[in-house]
Amino acid sequence: AQTVTQSQPEMSVQEAETVTLSCTYDTSESDYYLFWYKQPPSRQMILVIRQEAYKQQNATENRFSVNFQKAAKSFSLKISDSQLGDAAMYFCAYAGTETSGSRLTFGEGTQLTVNP
Amino acid sequence: GAGVSQSPRYKVAKRGQDVALRCDPISGHVSLFWYQQALGQGPEFLTYFQNEAQLDKSGLPSDRFFAERPEGSVSTLKIQRTQQEDSAVYLCASSLVTGWLNTEAFFGQGTRLTVV
C-alpha cells in the first residue's frame, strides 16, 4: 500500500520569506503523480502544484516549486515570497496508476502560519 | 454549476440517526470521489464512481456506509445508525476523465458531520 508522510505538523514563516514543507512517500509503483493541496478554513481543497513521476524536471507554478527526489521518495514544496494568503493547511498527496486505483492518498498535513 | 457543490455544509445528528450527504459534481465530470477527513487529519478515501458505476468502495469503513450515483451525476453518501466516530468532514471531488494524466480533481467545501 502507498503511504504519504508529512513530518512537520506546523510551520511558520515571515511574510516575504521562503519556507519549505517536507513530504516523503512509499510506493512500489514506477509511474505515479504527486500533488500539493492547500486547505484554507473554508475546507475546500485547492490544487497548488503537481508532479508526474516520469518527468525529471521539477514543477513550478509562480511562487511555488517542488524538489522531487524520486530515488529518495521525497517531494518537498517551496513557497517563495510568502504572502498572508498562503496561510493554510497543506497536504501532500499521491496518486498511482490504474493498478492501484484512482484514489488520492494524503499525508497528515502541515499547518502553515505566515507572520506579518 | 461552476464548482463542486455539497450539501448540507453542516449536519448535527443524534447517535443512531441516519444521514444523507449530497454531492453535485461539475457538469460532465466522469469521476467522482468521496473522502472522510477526521479533525486534524488528512482526507481518507471512501469510494469512487466512474459515471454511475461504483468501481471502488474499499474505503467505506463499515456496512453502515452506502454511496450511490444513479444517473452518473449527483451522488449521495448515506450513513445509517450514525456513531460518534463518524464525526468528520466528508469531502466530495470530481474530475473530467479517469486517471490523472490530463486532469485534476476539484473538491467541494465538504459537509461537517457531528454526531452527538
Side-chain angles (χ1 to χ4, degrees):
Chain A
Q2 293 75 30
T3 59
V4 177
T5 303
Q6 293 178 249
S7 58
Q8 306 156 317
E10 299 177 347
M11 290 284 284
S12 63
V13 63
Q14 291 296 127
E15 195 176 3
E17 297 294 307
T18 296
V19 64
T20 299
L21 308 184
S22 301
C23 173
T24 58
Y25 59 95
D26 190 24
T27 183
S28 58
E29 295 179 302
S30 58
D31 191 18
Y32 50 88
Y33 303 86
L34 297 165
F35 308 84
W36 278 98
Y37 281 90
K38 171 184 177 181
Q39 187 178 43
S42 68
R43 302 197 303 258
Q44 186 168 20
M45 288 282 193
I46 301 165
L47 179 64
V48 174
I49 198 166
R50 63 181 278 161
Q51 173 82 41
E52 287 82 4
Y54 62 85
K55 291 186 177 178
Q56 293 185 340
Q57 187 172 7
N58 288 326
T60 299
E61 287 286 343
N62 301 313
R63 299 182 296 106
F64 300 88
S65 61
V66 299
N67 183 5
F68 174 47
Q69 302 289 327
K70 190 171 183 180
K73 295 190 172 69
S74 170
F75 182 62
S76 62
L77 174 69
K78 185 171 82 170
I79 306 175
S80 304
D81 186 25
S82 298
Q83 301 176 0
L84 295 177
D86 295 334
M89 195 74 159
Y90 285 81
F91 290 97
C92 179
Y94 168 101
T97 63
E98 290 301 319
T99 56
S100 65
S102 295
R103 67 182 68 185
L104 285 166
T105 300
F106 289 87
E108 307 91 332
T110 297
Q111 181 69 50
L112 178 66
T113 301
V114 181
N115 300 309
Chain B
V4 179
S5 178
Q6 292 188 246
S7 60
R9 289 286 317 272
Y10 301 90
K11 176 68 179 179
V12 179
K14 291 186 178 179
R15 197 180 340 176
Q17 189 178 359
D18 296 350
V19 298
L21 312 180
R22 177 187 170 103
C23 173
D24 255 296
I26 294 172
S27 179
H29 277 199
V30 168
S31 297
L32 186 145
F33 307 83
W34 284 99
Y35 292 87
Q36 180 189 58
Q37 186 177 18
L39 186 64
Q41 302 293 316
E44 293 192 354
F45 171 81
L46 292 176
T47 187
Y48 161 62
F49 289 87
Q50 183 177 319
N51 294 310
E52 69 278 4
Q54 189 175 20
L55 297 187
D56 187 350
K57 56 181 181 179
S58 61
L60 296 176
S62 77
D63 58 8
R64 297 186 296 104
F65 286 70
F66 172 76
E68 60 183 5
R69 193 186 185 197
E71 297 178 358
S73 55
V74 172
S75 177
T76 304
L77 176 67
K78 298 179 179 178
I79 309 173
Q80 297 177 324
R81 304 181 304 281
T82 52
Q83 300 177 6
Q84 281 196 315
E85 60 262 32
D86 300 334
S87 296
V89 172
Y90 291 85
L91 295 169
C92 176
S94 71
S95 63
L96 183 60
V97 296
T98 60
W100 294 100
L101 182 59
N102 293 311
T103 190
E104 66 173 275
F106 293 86
F107 283 80
Q109 291 185 294
T111 295
R112 181 182 295 279
L113 173 65
T114 303
V115 181
V116 297

